[in-house]
Amino acid sequence: MLGNTFGKIFRITACGESYGKGLAVIVDGVPAGLSLTEEYIQHELDKRKPGQSALDSPRLETDIVQIFAGMLEGKTTGAPVGLIIYNVDTQKIHVDQYREVKDIIRPGHAEYTFFVKYGKYADWCGAGRASGRETVGRVAGGAVAKYILDKENIEVFAYTKESHGITARDMTFEEIKANYRKNEINCPDLEAAQDMIKDVLEISGKGDTAGGVIEVVIKGVPAGLGEPVFDKISADLAKGIMSIGAVKGLEIGGGFKTADMTGYEWNDGPYAEDGKVRFKSNNQGGILGGISTGQDIVLRVAVKPTPTISIDQSSVNMETMENTKLSAITRRDASLLPRIYPVIEAMTRCVILDHLYMWKAWCGMQRYENKWRDG
Amino acid sequence: MLGNTFGKIFRITACGESYGKGLAVIVDGVPAGLSLTEEYIQHELDKRKPGQSALDSPRLETDIVQIFAGMLEGKTTGAPVGLIIYNVDTQKIHVDQYREVKDIIRPGHAEYTFFVKYGKYADWCGAGRASGRETVGRVAGGAVAKYILDKENIEVFAYTKESHGITARDMTFEEIKANYRKNEINCPDLEAAQDMIKDVLEISGKGDTAGGVIEVVIKGVPAGLGEPVFDKISADLAKGIMSIGAVKGLEIGGGFKTADMTGYEWNDGPYAEDGKVRFKSNNQGGILGGISTGQDIVLRVAVKPTPTISIDQSSVNMETMENTKLSAITRRDASLLPRIYPVIEAMTRCVILDHLYMWKAWCGMQRYENKWRDG
Amino acid sequence: MLGNTFGKIFRITACGESYGKGLAVIVDGVPAGLSLTEEYIQHELDKRKPGQSALDSPRLETDIVQIFAGMLEGKTTGAPVGLIIYNVDTQKIHVDQYREVKDIIRPGHAEYTFFVKYGKYADWCGAGRASGRETVGRVAGGAVAKYILDKENIEVFAYTKESHGITARDMTFEEIKANYRKNEINCPDLEAAQDMIKDVLEISGKGDTAGGVIEVVIKGVPAGLGEPVFDKISADLAKGIMSIGAVKGLEIGGGFKTADMTGYEWNDGPYAEDGKVRFKSNNQGGILGGISTGQDIVLRVAVKPTPTISIDQSSVNMETMENTKLSAITRRDASLLPRIYPVIEAMTRCVILDHLYMWKAWCGMQRYENKWRDG
Amino acid sequence: MLGNTFGKIFRITACGESYGKGLAVIVDGVPAGLSLTEEYIQHELDKRKPGQSALDSPRLETDIVQIFAGMLEGKTTGAPVGLIIYNVDTQKIHVDQYREVKDIIRPGHAEYTFFVKYGKYADWCGAGRASGRETVGRVAGGAVAKYILDKENIEVFAYTKESHGITARDMTFEEIKANYRKNEINCPDLEAAQDMIKDVLEISGKGDTAGGVIEVVIKGVPAGLGEPVFDKISADLAKGIMSIGAVKGLEIGGGFKTADMTGYEWNDGPYAEDGKVRFKSNNQGGILGGISTGQDIVLRVAVKPTPTISIDQSSVNMETMENTKLSAITRRDASLLPRIYPVIEAMTRCVILDHLYMWKAWCGMQRYENKWRDG
C-alpha cells in the first residue's frame, strides 16, 4: 500500500517481489531524444547480480531487463519509460521451503512487521517486497537517471569504507577512483580489502555475516541544488538512501565526528580563486543550508549484516504465538557490501536528478528583476 | 521556492524569516473537536527560546504564538490550524549590522549557497530562511502533532547523548526520563552533564562553539507504521530530521555500530510473551523492513557546532570575489544542544503522526477477505 | 515527462504506447487478502475493446492482461499490483504508414503539441501516449479499484446521454440500469439508441464522426468523502475525468442548467426521514461544499467527435512548415461513445476509492473529544 | 483536514474562516528579486470585495492584506511569501445569529456535509471554511501568480457570458477587453449587461438569487504547457476551477456543443503562416492532447445561484433530526457573478504558472541528443 513511488519530477514507481512473475519500474521525467539502451541498464543491473564471488548468495538471478515503453526506434520520446525484469529462479521447491516456515519470524527480517501490517496474506515467500530483490527496480530506474546525469557530467561513486570493523585508510579521490572496483568487496584500499575479504569469509565459514560502511562521493553537482527548508538536498538524499532495506545510518561530510568538533574546526574556510568560491575543507560534505556548494557531496552509509545466517536461532511462530527455533539457512550473502553499492548509487542518482530538474525550473523562472545573474 | 511543506496527511506549511514581520505555520490534517490552546503550543515554543542559560544566544525572542484560524469557541473544527508568531527583535541596528557584511560569507553558514540559488536578492539579513529562527514554525506545528499524539499515548523524548566528545553513560529509560530535563544541556547523565556544561563554557570563553549528539526515543508507537518500500518510517524520519539545519547525521538502533557487528550479534531475538512478539534487544531500533515493531524507536542525531563564532575567520566577499576577513561575532549559541531538541522532537512527531493517519486508512480498508485480523 | 501517476493513497502509475511492446500499470494502495483475478480485470478491459460493432475501429486489440506482481497464491499481499498488457497489433506495415505522414499534423490530434513539447523525437507512431490506447492502463487500474468498491457496495454507471444532438429521455435509475448495456452505443433509452446508431452510421458513411455526452451515476458513496477546500471530491472527479483525451467538458448535478436557475429553484430541499437527512431533488449532484451528501453523485461528460476522419483535410507539414493535405484515414471509431465509457468509469472509481481511503484515515483519527460521533 | 494546498511548484497553502481572527496564504515558488507590493495584491482582493453594487452582500469586508514573510527591503527573496488578512466584520451579534440556527441545514450550503465529516465541532459560524470568504486566500495567492505572469505576458480575463438565461452575444476579444469591466456584472456585451442587472435586481427583489456562466480567456500561453497523461493542463484547470465552491460545470473550447458536432466540423484546421502553425478555429480551446497549442485557452464555468435566499425554506435540524423551517436571510449576494470572477482568474493563474515552471524544467533538461530544437 502506497510508498512505491519516489521523486517529484524525475520519478520512479516500482513493483515486484522475489517469487512473483517479475519486477517492473516506470520511470517518469525522461527527456525525449535519448539513445537509452537495454544494454546500458543491464550493465547497472549486473552490478547487483549475486553469485559473483564467494561473498554473495549463490541464488541464480539472471536479471534481463526489457524496455517495453517510452521509446521509439531507439530514442526516448518523453513518455515514461517502462522496464520489466522477469524472475527466473522461482522454482516450486523454494516456494515450498518458504511455505514450511512461513509463520516463523526470521530474526532481523521483516516477516513480523509485514504480518502486523498486511495480516495473514502478507507475502511470506522470499520476503516479498521486503526482499533485497525489490532493489532491482531501484537499480533499473537509477540507470536511467545515470544516463541523463552522464550528459551533465555528474558522477556518483560508492565503495566500501569499512567492513566489520576493518576500515579503509583515507585516500585521494584519484586513488579511490583508480581502485574501487578492483576487488569483490569494492574497497579502494587494496590492502584493507584483502583483510576485509579474509575476515568476511572467516565469519561466513562460521555461518555468520558481517556489516559495514559504504562511502558515497558525488562529483560534478553544480552549486544551487536543494529546496529549503524541508526539501534540502541532504534531507532528500537521507530519505532515498535510508529507504534501502539494510541501511541503518547516514552521515554527511563531518557527520558524527561533528559531535567532537568546535565551530572553528568544523567551518570549512571559504576563499576566492579564479573568480570562484572554494573551501579549504569539506566538513559540510558539499551542502550548506541544504543547498549544494559545488564541492563533492560526501556521504557515509551504515549497512547492517545480512540477517539471514546459517546458525540456528530462537524465534516465534506467529500463527501459534509459541516460541520455536529457526534452522540455519544456507543460501545467503555473507556481506551486503558487494551488492548494495549499486542500489545506493541508484537512489543517490534519482535524488540528484530530481533536484536538477527543480533547479532548471528555478533557473528558467528567476530572472525578472534580478538582472545580476541569469541562473 | 518550494520545499516549505512537510507531510502527506498531517502536513505543515511554514514561512517566515529572522527579520521579516513574522513566522507562520499552517497545520493541515487536524481532527475536529480538540481543545488545543495557545498555551499548549507556547509551552513547546518556550523550549527553544534563547537566553535561558549561558549556553545560548542572548538574542531576545519573545515568541508569542497566536492561533488565528481553524478553531471555534475553543475547539478545532477540522479546518487547517493557522499559527502566527510575530518577530519582536528586529531592530534597525541589527539589520544595519547585517547589511554591512551582507556580501561576506559567514563560514559554516548558507549565505553562499543562497546567493547562488536566489541571486543578489537572497535574504542577507540574519540568515533569512536558513536561520535557526525558521524552526519556530516546525516547533509550533509539532506542538499540534504532540497534542494529538498525547491522546494516542505516543511520546517522544530527545536529550543530549554527547557533547564535544563527552558521552553520557548508558541508562535505563526510567533514569533518562527522570533526569533528562534537569540541566541546561538536557543530558540525563547528571555527572556527564556537568562536565559537558563546563566544557562548553570553556570553549565558549575562547569564542568557539561545540557540536554533539542528540538521542531520540519514541515510545508507544504501535507496530505497523511505515509504507514500504520508499516511504519506510525510517526513511521519513531521516528526511524530517535531516531537514533541520544543523543536523549532519542520523542513525537508527545499532546505526553505525552495525558496521562492526555480525548478523548473529545484530539480530534481535524475537520471543513470544503474553501472546505478543517481543525482542531481546533493539539493534533494529524499533523498525524492521521500514515498519515499526512496537518497540521503542531509537535514533541518534549528529548536531554540528554553531557556525557563528567569536573568532576572526578568513572569508570571501561574494560581490567583489576577493578574499577578506570576517570579524568575530558575539551574539551566538555556544552549543545548539540546549535549543535544538524541541525541533528534533517536533519533526519526529510530525512524521509519526503522518504515518499514523496512513495506518488508520489502511486499517479502515484492509478487512475484506482478511478475516484473520481487524487491523 | 511526469504526469503519469494519479491518486494519493489509491494510486495508479501507467506507461505504454500504441506501437511499443506493451502497456503497464502499477496499482498502489491495494489491501492484502483480495482474491483479484486476471479474469476480473480482463472483463473491464474487454469493454473498451474495439471491433465490437460497426461504430468502432476495426483495429485488432486483443488486450490480454497479466498480473505479474503483488499477488501470492491467488491473494493480494498489500504490495503494489503490477499489470502488463502486451501490444499485438504493431505490424511494420502500420508503423510504415505512420512514418510516411509523421510530420503532417492530423487535425484534432496532438501531433503538433507533442512536437512542440518533446521535439522531433516525440512519438509519431499511432499518436504515442496521446492515443486512446493509453487508456488501457486506466481501465486496468480502475478494475482493481472496482474490485475494492464492489465490497463497499459502491457502483459506478456510465452510459450515453446524447449523441450528435440526439438526447436520451429522462429515465428512472431502475430503467437506466435495466437497459444501459442493451445496445452498442450504451444508451438506456432504447428508442433513442436506435436513432443514435442510425445517425452515427450515416455520418460514418460520409467519412465523418460524431460527438456526444456520457452521464455518470455513482451509487452507494457514503456522505463525507471530499477534502475541502482544494481537494473537493468534485474537483478531483473533474481532474480525473478531464484528463481523458477526448473529454471537453464536465458538469455536476444541475451543471450548466444552473446558469438559468434561481437559488430557490436550485436548492435541493433537505428533509428528515427515518432519522436521516434526505433531499427532494439533486441539483447539487450529490456533493455539497465539495463533500459527498450520500445521494447519488451525478456527472455529465462532453466527448468530442473522433478527430480521425475519412475526409481529406488541409494541414501543415511541421518539418517544412508548408501547407499540405492530409488524406482520408479509414481505420477509426465512428463515435467514441461505445468505447470511452469504461475509461470514464475507471477514472471515477479511482477518485472515489482514493477519497474513501482518506475518509477511513479521518474516521480513524477524529474521535478524541468528539464523542458525539464515531465517524 | 488536508486539501488546503494547491499546486506542485508554484503552490499556495491557505487557511482561515469567516469568523476566525483572519485568513492567511503561504505562497511557495516565488522567484527572488520581484518588487511585489501589498498594493498590487490589494488591487486583486478589492475585486472580490462585497458591497460594491446592489448585486452583492452588504457585508463589510475591509480585507487589508499584509505581507509578513518572504520579502526584504521591497524585494522577494525566493523564500515563501506569507500573506495575512485579518477579519474585521466578526461582531458577536452575527456569531450569535449563526449560533441560533447552527443545527439547521441551510439548503444549498455545506452544513450537512461538514457536520457528517467533522462532527458536532464542525464550524457552524458563517459557513466556516465552506464560506466564500475562504476565497480571499485564493485571490491573494493568485495575485502573486499574476505578478509573475505579467512579466511573461500571460493574461487571464474572466467575464460574465450568461446570467439567469440571458446570454451575451459573441464578440471579438478586442470588444470584450474594451468593455468587460464597464458594469457591475462584468459583462462585455453592454446591452445584455443592462438586461442581466435588471433581471437580477428583480429576482433579488423577490428574495431570490440567480446563477450564470463565466467565460475565461487566457492569452499569451506558449505552446507546450501540460503534462500528459493525467496532468494535462485541461485536467489541472478543471481541478483548480471546480474546487471553487459555487462552480458546477466547466467546459473547454467547444465544450458541450462538441456533442452535437461531427469530427469534420470540430477539427480546427491547422495551417502554416509566417513559419508558425495556426488554426482556423478554436473548438479545441487552445489545448490538444492536454498540452497548450499557443492559441487562446478558452473556458466556460457554470456558477450556481447563491444558495442564501430571503425566502423561507423547509429544512432539517441536524441535532434533533426533525423537519423544520429556515427563515429568510437578508445579507446575501443576489448573484455570485460580480464577485466570483477574480477567484476564477486566481485559480486559473495558479495552474498556468505551475505548468510554466514545469515547462521551464523540461526546457532546461531536454536538449541532449535532440539538437533539433532548444525548447
Side-chain angles (χ1 to χ4, degrees):
Chain A
M1 182 186 205
L2 215 69
N4 296 289
T5 296
F6 186 81
K8 290 182 182 167
I9 307 190
F10 180 81
R11 182 188 279 172
I12 59 172
T13 300
C15 67
E17 300 82 30
S18 286
Y19 286 86
K21 286 187 191 152
L23 303 112
V25 59
I26 297 177
V27 187
D28 212 348
V30 181
L34 300 177
S35 304
L36 186 70
T37 61
E38 288 171 349
E39 291 66 37
Y40 187 91
I41 299 167
Q42 192 65 51
H43 184 72
E44 290 302 302
L45 277 177
D46 287 348
K47 291 181 182 169
R48 67 166 293 295
K49 193 166 66 172
Q52 306 191 72
S53 85
L55 306 182
D56 329 318
S57 159
R59 174 173 168 148
L60 179 73
E61 288 176 3
T62 318
D63 291 331
I64 304 298
V65 69
Q66 186 185 56
I67 303 177
F68 67 90
M71 297 194 72
L72 182 68
E73 306 207 321
K75 297 281 183 184
T76 58
T77 62
V81 172
L83 306 174
I84 193 161
I85 297 100
Y86 283 97
N87 284 323
V88 292
D89 185 17
T90 55
Q91 294 111 297
K92 197 173 168 306
I93 184 167
H94 292 134
V95 176
D96 289 343
Q97 281 169 358
Y98 280 112
R99 191 195 320 273
E100 264 172 51
V101 293
K102 80 185 178 69
D103 296 322
I104 301 176
I105 298 173
R106 290 181 302 157
H109 277 281
E111 272 89 6
Y112 170 60
T113 53
F114 272 61
F115 190 67
V116 168
K117 190 166 191 94
Y118 304 108
K120 73 186 251 199
Y121 293 111
D123 192 328
W124 45 258
C125 194
R129 198 102 179 106
S131 161
R133 244 194 108 51
E134 162 263 314
T135 62
V136 163
R138 301 177 188 247
V139 173
V144 180
K146 182 176 191 299
Y147 191 93
I148 304 169
L149 291 176
D150 285 353
K151 302 192 174 288
E152 299 275 346
N153 297 314
I154 297 173
E155 292 178 284
V156 176
F157 299 88
Y159 47 84
T160 294
K161 182 68 187 171
E162 185 183 336
S163 169
H164 188 239
I166 302 170
T167 305
R169 64 181 168 84
D170 289 336
M171 302 166 78
T172 65
F173 180 72
E174 285 64 37
E175 279 185 285
I176 291 169
K177 190 172 178 181
N179 294 298
Y180 80 125
R181 291 289 179 267
K182 287 201 175 153
N183 51 64
E184 57 214 290
I185 204 160
N186 297 297
C187 177
D189 177 343
L190 303 182
E191 281 177 57
Q194 292 320 309
D195 294 346
M196 291 174 182
I197 293 168
K198 196 179 149 208
D199 176 63
V200 171
L201 289 175
E202 204 170 308
I203 289 169
S204 182
K206 293 175 192 159
D208 213 346
T209 58
V213 173
I214 299 274
E215 190 166 80
V216 185
V217 176
I218 316 168
K219 294 192 88 74
V221 178
L225 268 56
E227 301 301 327
V229 296
F230 298 120
D231 297 345
K232 289 185 165 80
I233 195 156
S234 33
D236 280 342
L237 284 166
K239 166 145 186 175
I241 293 173
M242 292 289 288
S243 78
I244 303 169
V247 173
K248 302 303 281 185
L250 177 133
E251 57 180 11
I252 292 182
F256 278 88
K257 266 187 216 144
T258 288
D260 300 352
M261 296 170 99
T262 71
Y264 188 77
E265 291 162 359
W266 194 92
N267 290 349
D268 301 310
Y271 65 97
E273 193 181 67
D274 306 331
K276 297 208 164 169
V277 172
R278 300 190 192 286
F279 297 89
K280 287 172 198 160
S281 51
N282 196 8
N283 287 311
Q284 59 211 21
I287 301 170
L288 270 177
I291 300 173
S292 60
T293 61
Q295 296 168 278
D296 293 350
I297 295 178
V298 182
L299 313 167
R300 271 171 307 281
V301 180
V303 178
K304 78 177 187 187
T306 321
T308 309
I309 58 177
S310 187
I311 304 173
D312 288 359
Q313 294 175 90
S314 62
S315 183
V316 175
N317 181 313
M318 294 184 289
E319 189 63 31
T320 63
M321 272 298 159
E322 282 169 356
N323 285 306
T324 182
K325 183 164 287 188
L326 180 77
S327 304
I329 298 166
T330 50
R331 209 162 77 148
R332 71 212 148 73
D333 291 312
S335 166
L336 296 171
L337 298 176
R339 297 184 59 203
I340 203 171
Y341 81 89
V343 185
I344 294 173
E345 286 183 351
M347 294 309 295
T348 301
R349 287 182 182 117
C350 289
V351 173
I352 296 292
L353 181 56
D354 200 24
H355 275 275
L356 190 65
Y357 272 103
M358 188 59 69
W359 180 225
K360 300 281 179 177
W362 175 253
C363 291
M365 293 300 295
Q366 190 178 18
R367 57 195 167 76
Y368 303 116
E369 296 170 41
N370 185 358
K371 302 298 183 195
W372 177 79
R373 61 185 282 285
D374 292 327
Chain B
M1 182 185 202
L2 217 67
N4 296 288
T5 296
F6 186 80
K8 289 182 183 167
I9 307 190
F10 180 81
R11 182 189 278 172
I12 59 173
T13 300
C15 68
E17 299 82 28
S18 286
Y19 285 86
K21 286 186 192 155
L23 303 112
V25 60
I26 297 177
V27 186
D28 212 347
V30 181
L34 300 178
S35 304
L36 186 70
T37 61
E38 288 172 348
E39 290 66 36
Y40 187 91
I41 299 166
Q42 193 65 51
H43 184 72
E44 290 302 301
L45 277 177
D46 287 349
K47 291 180 183 169
R48 68 165 294 294
K49 193 165 67 173
Q52 306 192 71
S53 86
L55 307 182
D56 329 318
S57 159
R59 175 174 168 151
L60 179 72
E61 287 176 4
T62 318
D63 291 332
I64 304 298
V65 69
Q66 187 185 55
I67 303 177
F68 67 90
M71 296 195 72
L72 182 68
E73 306 207 320
K75 297 282 184 185
T76 57
T77 63
V81 172
L83 306 174
I84 193 161
I85 297 101
Y86 283 96
N87 284 322
V88 293
D89 185 19
T90 56
Q91 294 114 296
K92 196 172 169 308
I93 184 168
H94 291 133
V95 176
D96 288 345
Q97 281 169 358
Y98 280 112
R99 191 195 320 274
E100 264 172 54
V101 292
K102 82 184 177 69
D103 296 323
I104 301 176
I105 297 173
R106 291 181 301 155
H109 277 281
E111 271 89 6
Y112 170 61
T113 53
F114 272 62
F115 190 68
V116 168
K117 189 164 191 97
Y118 305 109
K120 72 185 252 199
Y121 294 111
D123 193 329
W124 44 259
C125 194
R129 197 98 180 111
S131 162
R133 244 194 108 51
E134 162 263 315
T135 62
V136 163
R138 300 177 188 247
V139 173
V144 180
K146 183 176 191 299
Y147 190 93
I148 304 169
L149 291 176
D150 286 353
K151 302 191 175 290
E152 299 275 346
N153 297 315
I154 297 174
E155 291 178 286
V156 176
F157 300 88
Y159 47 83
T160 293
K161 182 69 187 171
E162 184 183 335
S163 169
H164 189 239
I166 302 169
T167 305
R169 65 181 167 85
D170 288 337
M171 302 166 79
T172 65
F173 181 71
E174 287 64 36
E175 278 184 287
I176 290 169
K177 190 171 179 182
N179 295 298
Y180 79 123
R181 291 288 180 266
K182 286 199 174 154
N183 50 64
E184 58 214 289
I185 205 161
N186 298 297
C187 178
D189 176 344
L190 302 182
E191 281 176 58
Q194 293 319 308
D195 294 345
M196 290 173 182
I197 292 168
K198 196 179 150 208
D199 175 64
V200 170
L201 289 175
E202 205 171 306
I203 288 168
S204 182
K206 293 174 192 159
D208 213 344
T209 58
V213 174
I214 299 274
E215 190 167 79
V216 185
V217 176
I218 317 169
K219 294 192 89 73
V221 178
L225 268 56
E227 301 301 327
V229 296
F230 298 120
D231 297 345
K232 290 184 166 77
I233 195 157
S234 33
D236 280 343
L237 284 166
K239 166 145 186 176
I241 293 173
M242 292 289 288
S243 78
I244 303 170
V247 173
K248 301 303 281 185
L250 176 132
E251 56 180 11
I252 292 181
F256 278 89
K257 266 187 215 144
T258 287
D260 300 352
M261 295 170 99
T262 71
Y264 188 76
E265 291 162 358
W266 195 93
N267 289 350
D268 301 310
Y271 64 97
E273 193 181 68
D274 307 331
K276 297 210 164 170
V277 173
R278 300 191 193 285
F279 297 89
K280 288 173 198 157
S281 52
N282 195 8
N283 288 311
Q284 59 211 21
I287 300 171
L288 270 177
I291 300 173
S292 60
T293 61
Q295 297 168 280
D296 293 349
I297 295 179
V298 182
L299 313 167
R300 271 171 308 282
V301 180
V303 178
K304 77 178 189 186
T306 321
T308 310
I309 58 177
S310 188
I311 303 173
D312 288 0
Q313 293 175 91
S314 63
S315 182
V316 175
N317 181 314
M318 293 184 289
E319 188 64 30
T320 64
M321 272 298 159
E322 282 170 356
N323 286 306
T324 182
K325 183 164 286 188
L326 181 77
S327 302
I329 298 165
T330 50
R331 209 162 77 146
R332 71 211 149 73
D333 291 310
S335 166
L336 295 171
L337 298 176
R339 295 184 61 203
I340 203 171
Y341 81 89
V343 185
I344 293 173
E345 287 184 350
M347 295 310 294
T348 301
R349 287 183 182 119
C350 289
V351 173
I352 296 292
L353 182 55
D354 200 23
H355 276 273
L356 190 64
Y357 273 102
M358 188 58 69
W359 179 226
K360 300 280 179 176
W362 176 253
C363 292
M365 293 301 294
Q366 191 178 15
R367 56 195 168 73
Y368 303 116
E369 297 171 42
N370 186 358
K371 303 298 183 194
W372 178 80
R373 60 185 282 284
D374 292 327
Chain C
M1 184 186 204
L2 216 69
N4 296 289
T5 297
F6 187 80
K8 289 182 182 167
I9 307 190
F10 180 80
R11 182 188 279 173
I12 59 173
T13 300
C15 67
E17 299 82 30
S18 285
Y19 286 86
K21 287 186 191 154
L23 302 111
V25 59
I26 297 177
V27 187
D28 212 349
V30 181
L34 301 177
S35 304
L36 187 71
T37 61
E38 288 171 349
E39 289 66 37
Y40 187 91
I41 299 167
Q42 192 66 50
H43 183 71
E44 291 302 302
L45 276 177
D46 286 348
K47 292 181 184 169
R48 68 166 293 294
K49 194 165 66 172
Q52 306 193 72
S53 86
L55 308 182
D56 330 317
S57 160
R59 177 176 165 145
L60 179 73
E61 287 176 3
T62 318
D63 290 332
I64 305 298
V65 68
Q66 186 184 56
I67 303 177
F68 67 90
M71 297 195 70
L72 182 68
E73 305 206 321
K75 297 280 184 187
T76 58
T77 62
V81 171
L83 306 173
I84 193 161
I85 297 100
Y86 282 96
N87 284 322
V88 292
D89 185 18
T90 56
Q91 294 111 296
K92 199 174 165 305
I93 184 168
H94 291 134
V95 176
D96 289 344
Q97 280 170 358
Y98 280 112
R99 193 195 321 275
E100 264 172 51
V101 292
K102 79 184 180 69
D103 296 323
I104 301 176
I105 297 174
R106 290 180 303 156
H109 277 281
E111 271 89 7
Y112 171 60
T113 52
F114 272 62
F115 190 68
V116 168
K117 190 164 190 97
Y118 306 108
K120 72 185 251 199
Y121 293 112
D123 193 328
W124 45 259
C125 194
R129 198 100 180 108
S131 163
R133 243 193 109 52
E134 162 264 313
T135 62
V136 163
R138 300 179 188 246
V139 173
V144 180
K146 182 176 190 300
Y147 191 94
I148 304 169
L149 290 176
D150 285 352
K151 302 190 174 289
E152 299 275 346
N153 297 315
I154 297 173
E155 291 177 285
V156 177
F157 300 88
Y159 48 85
T160 293
K161 181 70 187 168
E162 183 182 336
S163 169
H164 189 237
I166 302 169
T167 305
R169 65 181 167 84
D170 289 335
M171 303 166 78
T172 65
F173 181 71
E174 285 63 36
E175 279 184 284
I176 291 170
K177 191 171 178 182
N179 295 299
Y180 79 125
R181 291 285 180 269
K182 286 200 176 154
N183 50 64
E184 57 215 289
I185 206 162
N186 298 298
C187 177
D189 177 343
L190 302 182
E191 282 176 57
Q194 293 319 309
D195 294 345
M196 291 173 182
I197 293 169
K198 196 179 149 207
D199 176 64
V200 170
L201 289 175
E202 205 171 305
I203 289 169
S204 183
K206 294 175 193 159
D208 213 344
T209 57
V213 173
I214 299 275
E215 190 166 78
V216 185
V217 176
I218 317 168
K219 295 193 89 71
V221 177
L225 267 56
E227 302 300 327
V229 296
F230 298 119
D231 297 346
K232 289 183 165 81
I233 194 156
S234 32
D236 280 342
L237 284 166
K239 167 148 186 174
I241 292 173
M242 292 288 289
S243 78
I244 302 169
V247 173
K248 299 305 281 186
L250 177 134
E251 56 180 11
I252 293 182
F256 277 90
K257 267 188 219 144
T258 288
D260 300 352
M261 297 170 99
T262 71
Y264 188 77
E265 291 162 359
W266 195 92
N267 289 350
D268 301 310
Y271 63 99
E273 194 180 68
D274 306 332
K276 296 209 165 168
V277 173
R278 301 191 193 283
F279 297 89
K280 287 172 199 158
S281 52
N282 196 8
N283 288 311
Q284 58 211 21
I287 300 171
L288 270 177
I291 300 173
S292 60
T293 60
Q295 296 167 278
D296 293 349
I297 295 178
V298 182
L299 312 167
R300 270 171 309 282
V301 181
V303 178
K304 77 177 187 188
T306 321
T308 310
I309 58 177
S310 187
I311 303 174
D312 288 0
Q313 294 175 90
S314 64
S315 184
V316 176
N317 181 314
M318 294 184 289
E319 188 64 30
T320 63
M321 273 298 159
E322 282 170 355
N323 286 305
T324 181
K325 183 164 287 189
L326 181 76
S327 303
I329 297 165
T330 49
R331 210 162 76 148
R332 69 211 150 73
D333 292 312
S335 165
L336 296 171
L337 298 176
R339 296 183 60 204
I340 204 172
Y341 81 89
V343 185
I344 293 173
E345 286 184 351
M347 295 310 293
T348 301
R349 288 183 181 118
C350 288
V351 173
I352 297 292
L353 182 55
D354 200 22
H355 275 275
L356 190 65
Y357 273 103
M358 188 59 69
W359 179 226
K360 300 281 180 177
W362 175 253
C363 292
M365 293 301 293
Q366 191 177 16
R367 56 194 167 76
Y368 302 117
E369 296 171 42
N370 186 358
K371 302 299 182 194
W372 177 80
R373 60 185 282 285
D374 292 327
Chain D
M1 184 187 203
L2 217 68
N4 295 288
T5 296
F6 187 81
K8 289 183 182 166
I9 307 191
F10 180 80
R11 182 187 279 172
I12 60 173
T13 300
C15 66
E17 299 83 28
S18 285
Y19 286 86
K21 286 185 190 154
L23 303 110
V25 59
I26 297 177
V27 187
D28 212 348
V30 181
L34 300 177
S35 304
L36 187 70
T37 62
E38 288 171 349
E39 289 67 36
Y40 187 91
I41 299 167
Q42 192 65 51
H43 183 71
E44 291 302 302
L45 277 177
D46 287 349
K47 292 181 184 168
R48 68 167 293 294
K49 193 166 66 173
Q52 305 192 73
S53 86
L55 307 182
D56 331 316
S57 160
R59 175 174 168 148
L60 179 74
E61 287 176 4
T62 319
D63 290 332
I64 304 297
V65 68
Q66 185 184 57
I67 302 176
F68 67 90
M71 296 195 72
L72 182 68
E73 306 205 321
K75 297 281 184 186
T76 58
T77 63
V81 171
L83 306 173
I84 193 161
I85 298 100
Y86 283 96
N87 285 323
V88 293
D89 186 18
T90 56
Q91 294 112 296
K92 199 175 164 306
I93 184 168
H94 291 134
V95 176
D96 289 343
Q97 281 170 357
Y98 281 111
R99 191 194 321 273
E100 265 172 52
V101 292
K102 81 185 179 69
D103 295 323
I104 302 177
I105 298 175
R106 290 180 303 155
H109 276 282
E111 271 89 8
Y112 170 60
T113 51
F114 272 62
F115 190 68
V116 168
K117 191 165 189 94
Y118 305 109
K120 72 186 253 198
Y121 293 112
D123 193 328
W124 45 259
C125 194
R129 198 100 180 107
S131 163
R133 244 193 109 50
E134 163 263 315
T135 62
V136 163
R138 300 179 189 246
V139 173
V144 180
K146 182 176 192 300
Y147 191 93
I148 303 168
L149 290 176
D150 285 353
K151 301 188 175 292
E152 299 274 347
N153 297 314
I154 297 173
E155 290 178 286
V156 177
F157 299 88
Y159 48 83
T160 293
K161 181 70 187 169
E162 184 183 337
S163 170
H164 189 236
I166 302 169
T167 305
R169 66 181 165 84
D170 289 335
M171 303 166 79
T172 65
F173 181 72
E174 286 64 36
E175 279 184 285
I176 291 169
K177 190 171 179 181
N179 295 300
Y180 80 125
R181 291 287 179 268
K182 285 200 176 154
N183 50 64
E184 57 215 291
I185 205 161
N186 298 297
C187 177
D189 177 342
L190 302 182
E191 282 176 57
Q194 292 319 309
D195 294 346
M196 291 173 182
I197 292 168
K198 196 180 150 209
D199 176 63
V200 170
L201 288 175
E202 205 170 306
I203 289 168
S204 183
K206 295 175 192 158
D208 213 344
T209 58
V213 174
I214 299 274
E215 190 166 79
V216 185
V217 176
I218 316 169
K219 294 192 90 72
V221 178
L225 267 56
E227 301 300 327
V229 298
F230 298 119
D231 297 345
K232 288 184 166 79
I233 194 156
S234 33
D236 280 343
L237 284 167
K239 166 147 186 174
I241 292 173
M242 292 289 289
S243 78
I244 302 170
V247 173
K248 300 304 282 185
L250 177 133
E251 55 180 12
I252 293 183
F256 278 89
K257 266 187 217 145
T258 289
D260 300 352
M261 296 170 100
T262 70
Y264 188 77
E265 291 162 359
W266 195 91
N267 289 350
D268 301 309
Y271 64 98
E273 193 180 68
D274 306 332
K276 295 209 165 169
V277 173
R278 300 192 194 284
F279 297 90
K280 286 173 199 156
S281 51
N282 196 7
N283 288 311
Q284 59 211 21
I287 300 171
L288 271 177
I291 299 174
S292 60
T293 61
Q295 296 167 280
D296 292 350
I297 295 178
V298 182
L299 314 167
R300 270 171 309 283
V301 182
V303 178
K304 78 177 187 186
T306 321
T308 310
I309 58 177
S310 187
I311 303 173
D312 287 359
Q313 294 175 90
S314 63
S315 183
V316 175
N317 181 314
M318 295 184 287
E319 188 65 29
T320 63
M321 273 297 158
E322 282 169 356
N323 285 307
T324 181
K325 184 163 286 189
L326 181 76
S327 302
I329 297 165
T330 50
R331 210 162 77 147
R332 70 211 150 73
D333 292 311
S335 165
L336 295 171
L337 298 176
R339 296 182 61 204
I340 204 172
Y341 81 88
V343 186
I344 293 173
E345 287 183 351
M347 293 311 293
T348 302
R349 288 182 181 119
C350 288
V351 173
I352 297 291
L353 182 55
D354 199 23
H355 275 274
L356 190 64
Y357 273 103
M358 189 59 68
W359 180 226
K360 300 281 180 176
W362 175 253
C363 292
M365 293 301 293
Q366 191 178 18
R367 57 195 165 73
Y368 303 116
E369 295 171 42
N370 185 358
K371 302 299 183 195
W372 178 80
R373 61 184 282 285
D374 292 327

